[in-house]
Amino acid sequence: METDGRTTGTIVLGNSAIKRYYALKIKPPITEPPTKLRIDRENTNIEDKDAGLVWIPELFTFDSKLQSLLTDHGRQLMLSDVAGLPIGRVPRVLASCFYSILDTGGEICTICNGDPSPSFPPWPSTQEKGGGVVIPCNYILTVTDTDKTVQMLTDTLSLIPGGNAMKIVKSF
């Protein structure tokens, strides 16, 4: 859809990750259709003003049949134990882009597409600073100016080694 010369739409940033799983150790629910995890600012982070958290939706947003769904078999955690909690952070390199989107009225969520695993390109390897265990995901951005957002993401990804491993797909 076009508004004031801008094209509104959805952008999917694929082959990405949720960082800092090792700090929180909360696995997202795997549901069908996939659960959309919300992205929000982490205003209390004094070390990084652009930090963004990835949150599991509140329990009341899920079908009552899913409330006893096991999200972590090893720790016996159910959806009712983890709903409404953060599971990790938006990678630092993407956070400022995401804030720009949120500040202009856009929305961002993510869908996990795998279990926590060792970092993969373009993220640092597990032995490097910033590496570790990540949750593979695709970020879904609903934006007011798709062309400007794609350019901003492309520019940002060009600054990181292996940034071309992430895929940007526009849809309207």
Side-chain angles (χ1 to χ4, degrees), residues 6-135:
R6 298 176 297 173
T7 306
T8 59
T10 302
I11 298 170
V12 176
L13 181 58
N15 196 33
S16 196
I18 298 167
K19 303 281 285 181
R20 307 250 327 151
Y21 168 77
Y22 64 88
L24 301 169
K25 291 188 175 59
I26 296 175
K27 290 183 180 181
I30 305 300
T31 60
E32 193 56 49
T35 298
K36 291 182 178 180
L37 307 176
R38 69 182 172 88
I39 309 299
D40 205 356
R41 291 174 165 82
E42 185 182 4
N43 295 321
T44 58
N45 189 327
I46 57 174
E47 295 176 15
D48 183 0
K49 67 177 180 55
D50 289 332
L53 283 173
V54 179
W55 295 82
I56 296 174
E58 296 292 335
L59 189 59
F60 69 86
T61 64
F62 291 92
D63 185 305
S64 61
K65 296 174 193 165
L66 293 176
Q67 294 182 3
S68 60
L69 172 76
L70 273 177
T71 61
D72 186 333
H73 294 275
R75 295 171 54 208
Q76 294 297 298
L77 292 176
M78 294 186 298
L79 180 58
S80 59
D81 297 319
V82 299
L85 295 177
I87 64 165
R89 289 195 171 99
V90 171
R92 182 173 282 169
V93 70
L94 297 175
S96 63
C97 288
F98 286 6
Y99 273 10
S100 295
I101 293 165
L102 293 172
D103 289 344
T104 57
E107 295 178 9
I108 305 168
C109 67
T110 188
I111 294 176
C112 297
N113 51 21
D115 286 327
S117 62
S119 276
F120 52 87
W123 313 115
S125 71
T126 53
Q127 302 85 356
E128 297 176 68
K129 182 179 180 184
V133 177
V134 299
I135 301 172

